[in-house]
Coordinates of all heavy atoms in Angstrom, one line a residue:
F17 N 213.7 61.2 152.2 CA 213.9 60.2 151.2 C 213.1 58.9 151.5 O 212.4 58.4 150.7 CB 215.4 59.9 151.0 CG 215.7 58.7 150.1 CD1 215.7 58.9 148.7 CD2 215.8 57.5 150.5 CE1 216.0 57.9 147.8 CE2 216.1 56.4 149.6 CZ 216.1 56.6 148.3
L18 N 213.2 58.5 152.8 CA 212.6 57.3 153.3 C 211.0 57.5 153.3 O 210.3 56.6 152.9 CB 213.1 56.9 154.6 CG 214.6 56.4 154.6 CD1 215.2 56.4 155.9 CD2 214.7 55.0 153.9
L19 N 210.7 58.7 153.8 CA 209.2 58.9 153.9 C 208.6 59.0 152.5 O 207.5 58.5 152.2 CB 209.0 60.2 154.7 CG 209.1 60.1 156.1 CD1 209.1 61.5 156.8 CD2 208.3 59.1 156.8
D20 N 209.3 59.5 151.4 CA 208.9 59.6 150.1 C 208.7 58.2 149.5 O 207.9 58.0 148.6 CB 209.8 60.4 149.2 CG 209.7 61.9 149.5 OD1 208.7 62.3 150.1 OD2 210.7 62.6 149.1
R21 N 209.4 57.3 150.0 CA 209.3 55.8 149.6 C 208.6 55.0 150.5 O 208.6 53.8 150.5 CB 210.7 55.2 149.5 CG 211.3 55.7 148.1 CD 212.8 56.0 148.1 NE 213.1 56.6 146.8 CZ 213.1 58.0 146.6 NH1 212.6 58.8 147.5 NH2 213.6 58.4 145.4
R22 N 207.7 55.7 151.2 CA 206.6 55.1 152.1 C 207.1 54.3 153.4 O 206.6 53.3 153.7 CB 205.7 54.3 151.3 CG 205.0 55.1 150.2 CD 203.9 54.4 149.6 NE 203.4 55.0 148.4 CZ 202.4 56.0 148.3 NH1 201.9 56.3 149.4 NH2 202.1 56.5 147.1
A23 N 208.2 54.7 153.9 CA 208.7 54.2 155.1 C 207.6 54.2 156.2 O 206.9 55.2 156.2 CB 210.0 54.8 155.6
N24 N 207.5 53.2 157.0 CA 206.5 53.3 158.1 C 206.7 54.2 159.1 O 207.7 53.9 160.0 CB 206.2 51.8 158.6 CG 205.2 51.7 159.6 OD1 204.6 52.7 160.0 ND2 204.9 50.5 160.1
V25 N 206.1 55.3 159.2 CA 206.4 56.3 160.2 C 206.1 55.9 161.6 O 206.7 56.5 162.6 CB 205.6 57.7 159.8 CG1 204.2 57.6 160.1 CG2 206.2 58.9 160.5
E26 N 205.3 54.9 161.8 CA 205.0 54.5 163.1 C 205.6 53.1 163.5 O 205.4 52.5 164.5 CB 203.5 54.1 163.1 CG 202.6 55.4 163.1 CD 202.8 56.3 164.4 OE1 203.3 55.9 165.4 OE2 202.6 57.6 164.1
S27 N 206.7 52.7 162.7 CA 207.5 51.5 163.1 C 208.1 51.6 164.4 O 208.6 52.8 164.7 CB 208.5 51.3 162.0 OG 209.2 50.0 162.3
R28 N 208.1 50.7 165.2 CA 208.6 50.7 166.6 C 209.7 49.7 166.9 O 209.7 48.6 166.4 CB 207.5 50.6 167.5 CG 206.5 51.7 167.5 CD 205.3 51.5 168.3 NE 204.4 52.6 168.3 CZ 204.3 53.4 169.3 NH1 205.0 53.3 170.4 NH2 203.5 54.4 169.1
T29 N 210.4 50.0 168.0 CA 211.5 49.0 168.5 C 210.7 48.1 169.5 O 209.4 48.3 169.7 CB 212.5 49.7 169.3 OG1 212.0 50.3 170.4 CG2 213.3 50.8 168.4
Q30 N 211.3 47.2 170.1 CA 210.6 46.3 171.0 C 210.0 47.0 172.2 O 209.2 46.4 172.8 CB 211.6 45.2 171.5 CG 211.9 44.2 170.4 CD 212.9 43.1 170.8 OE1 213.5 43.2 171.8 NE2 212.8 41.9 170.1
V31 N 210.7 48.1 172.5 CA 210.1 48.9 173.8 C 209.3 50.0 173.3 O 208.9 50.8 174.1 CB 211.3 49.4 174.7 CG1 212.0 48.3 175.3 CG2 212.2 50.3 173.8
G32 N 208.9 50.1 172.1 CA 207.9 51.0 171.6 C 208.5 52.3 171.1 O 207.7 53.2 170.7
M33 N 209.7 52.5 171.0 CA 210.2 53.7 170.5 C 210.1 53.8 169.0 O 210.1 52.8 168.2 CB 211.8 53.8 170.7 CG 212.1 54.0 172.1 SD 211.6 55.6 172.9 CE 212.8 56.7 172.2
N34 N 209.9 55.0 168.4 CA 209.7 55.1 167.0 C 210.5 56.5 166.6 O 211.2 57.1 167.5 CB 208.2 55.3 166.6 CG 207.5 56.6 167.1 OD1 208.1 57.5 167.6 ND2 206.2 56.5 167.2
A35 N 210.5 56.7 165.4 CA 211.3 57.9 164.8 C 211.0 59.2 165.4 O 211.8 59.9 165.8 CB 211.2 58.0 163.3
L36 N 209.7 59.4 165.7 CA 209.3 60.7 166.3 C 209.8 60.8 167.7 O 210.3 61.8 168.2 CB 207.7 60.7 166.4 CG 207.1 62.1 167.0 CD1 207.6 63.3 166.3 CD2 205.6 61.9 167.1
L37 N 209.6 59.7 168.4 CA 210.1 59.8 169.9 C 211.8 60.0 169.9 O 212.2 60.8 170.7 CB 209.8 58.5 170.6 CG 208.3 58.3 170.8 CD1 208.0 56.8 171.1 CD2 207.8 59.1 171.8
L38 N 212.4 59.4 169.0 CA 213.8 59.5 169.0 C 214.2 61.0 168.5 O 215.1 61.5 169.2 CB 214.5 58.5 168.0 CG 214.4 57.0 168.4 CD1 214.7 56.1 167.2 CD2 215.4 56.7 169.6
A39 N 213.6 61.5 167.6 CA 213.9 62.8 167.1 C 213.6 63.8 168.2 O 214.4 64.8 168.4 CB 213.1 63.2 165.9
A40 N 212.4 63.7 168.8 CA 212.1 64.6 169.9 C 213.0 64.6 171.0 O 213.4 65.6 171.6 CB 210.6 64.3 170.4
Q41 N 213.4 63.4 171.5 CA 214.4 63.3 172.6 C 215.8 63.9 172.2 O 216.4 64.4 173.1 CB 214.6 61.7 172.8 CG 215.6 61.4 173.8 CD 215.6 59.9 174.1 OE1 214.6 59.3 174.5 NE2 216.6 59.2 173.6
R42 N 216.2 63.9 170.9 CA 217.3 64.4 170.5 C 217.3 65.9 170.2 O 218.3 66.6 170.0 CB 218.0 63.8 169.2 CG 218.2 62.3 169.6 CD 219.5 62.1 170.3 NE 220.2 61.0 169.8 CZ 221.5 60.9 169.9 NH1 222.3 61.7 170.4 NH2 222.1 59.8 169.3
G43 N 216.1 66.4 170.1 CA 215.9 67.9 169.9 C 215.9 68.2 168.3 O 216.1 69.3 168.0
H44 N 215.7 67.3 167.5 CA 215.7 67.6 166.0 C 214.3 68.0 165.6 O 213.5 67.3 165.0 CB 216.0 66.2 165.4 CG 217.4 65.6 165.8 ND1 218.4 66.4 166.1 CD2 217.7 64.3 166.0 CE1 219.4 65.5 166.5 NE2 219.0 64.4 166.4
A45 N 214.1 69.3 165.8 CA 212.7 69.8 165.6 C 212.2 69.8 164.1 O 211.1 69.5 163.8 CB 212.6 71.3 166.0
E46 N 213.1 70.0 163.2 CA 212.8 69.9 161.8 C 212.4 68.5 161.4 O 211.4 68.3 160.5 CB 214.0 70.4 160.9 CG 213.5 70.7 159.5 CD 214.6 71.5 158.6 OE1 215.7 71.7 159.2 OE2 214.4 71.8 157.5
I47 N 213.0 67.5 161.9 CA 212.6 66.2 161.7 C 211.3 65.8 162.4 O 210.5 65.2 161.8 CB 213.8 65.1 162.1 CG1 214.9 65.4 161.1 CG2 213.3 63.8 162.2 CD1 216.1 64.4 161.3
V48 N 211.1 66.3 163.6 CA 209.9 66.1 164.3 C 208.7 66.7 163.5 O 207.7 66.0 163.3 CB 209.9 66.8 165.7 CG1 208.4 66.9 166.3 CG2 210.8 66.0 166.6
S49 N 208.9 67.9 162.9 CA 207.9 68.4 162.1 C 207.6 67.6 160.8 O 206.5 67.4 160.4 CB 208.4 70.0 161.6 OG 207.3 70.5 160.9
T50 N 208.7 67.1 160.2 CA 208.5 66.4 159.0 C 207.7 65.1 159.3 O 206.9 64.6 158.4 CB 209.9 66.0 158.4 OG1 210.6 67.3 158.1 CG2 209.8 65.2 157.2
L51 N 208.1 64.4 160.3 CA 207.4 63.2 160.7 C 206.0 63.4 161.1 O 205.1 62.6 160.6 CB 208.1 62.5 161.9 CG 209.6 62.0 161.6 CD1 210.3 61.7 162.9 CD2 209.4 60.8 160.8
L52 N 205.7 64.5 161.8 CA 204.2 64.9 162.0 C 203.6 65.1 160.7 O 202.3 64.7 160.5 CB 204.1 66.1 162.9 CG 204.6 65.8 164.4 CD1 204.7 67.0 165.2 CD2 203.7 64.7 165.1
D53 N 204.1 65.9 159.8 CA 203.5 66.1 158.5 C 203.3 64.9 157.7 O 202.3 64.9 156.9 CB 204.4 67.1 157.6 CG 204.5 68.5 158.2 OD1 203.6 68.8 159.1 OD2 205.4 69.3 157.8
S54 N 204.0 63.8 158.0 CA 203.9 62.5 157.3 C 202.9 61.6 158.1 O 202.8 60.4 157.7 CB 205.2 61.9 157.2 OG 206.0 62.7 156.3
G55 N 202.3 62.1 159.1 CA 201.3 61.2 159.8 C 201.7 60.6 161.1 O 200.9 59.8 161.6
A56 N 202.8 60.9 161.6 CA 203.3 60.4 162.9 C 202.3 60.7 164.0 O 201.8 61.9 164.0 CB 204.6 60.8 163.3
N57 N 202.0 59.8 164.9 CA 201.1 60.1 166.0 C 201.8 60.9 167.0 O 202.7 60.4 167.7 CB 200.5 58.7 166.5 CG 199.6 58.9 167.8 OD1 199.5 60.0 168.2 ND2 199.2 57.8 168.2
I58 N 201.4 62.2 167.2 CA 202.0 63.1 168.1 C 202.0 62.6 169.6 O 202.8 62.9 170.4 CB 201.4 64.5 168.0 CG1 202.3 65.5 168.7 CG2 200.0 64.4 168.6 CD1 202.0 66.9 168.3
N59 N 201.0 61.7 170.0 CA 200.8 61.2 171.3 C 201.1 59.8 171.4 O 200.8 59.1 172.4 CB 199.4 61.5 171.8 CG 199.2 63.1 171.9 OD1 199.9 63.8 172.4 ND2 198.1 63.5 171.3
A60 N 201.9 59.2 170.6 CA 202.3 57.8 170.6 C 203.1 57.6 171.9 O 203.9 58.4 172.3 CB 203.1 57.4 169.4
L61 N 202.9 56.4 172.5 CA 203.6 56.1 173.8 C 204.4 54.8 173.6 O 203.8 53.8 173.3 CB 202.6 56.0 174.9 CG 201.8 57.3 175.2 CD1 200.6 56.8 176.2 CD2 202.6 58.2 175.7
P62 N 205.7 54.9 174.0 CA 206.4 53.6 174.1 C 206.1 52.9 175.5 O 205.2 53.4 176.3 CB 207.9 54.1 174.1 CG 207.8 55.4 174.8 CD 206.4 56.0 174.4

Side-chain angles (χ1 to χ4, degrees):
F17 175 85
L18 292 163
L19 291 171
D20 287 347
R21 277 142 191 85
R22 303 190 191 272
N24 182 356
V25 75
E26 292 297 334
S27 182
R28 293 173 178 259
T29 65
Q30 288 181 338
V31 294
M33 291 293 285
N34 65 18
L36 177 64
L37 294 163
L38 292 166
Q41 177 175 293
R42 298 286 220 151
H44 306 319
E46 197 169 0
I47 290 180
V48 168
S49 181
T50 300
L51 292 167
L52 291 172
D53 290 343
S54 295
N57 178 354
I58 196 167
N59 295 313
L61 298 173

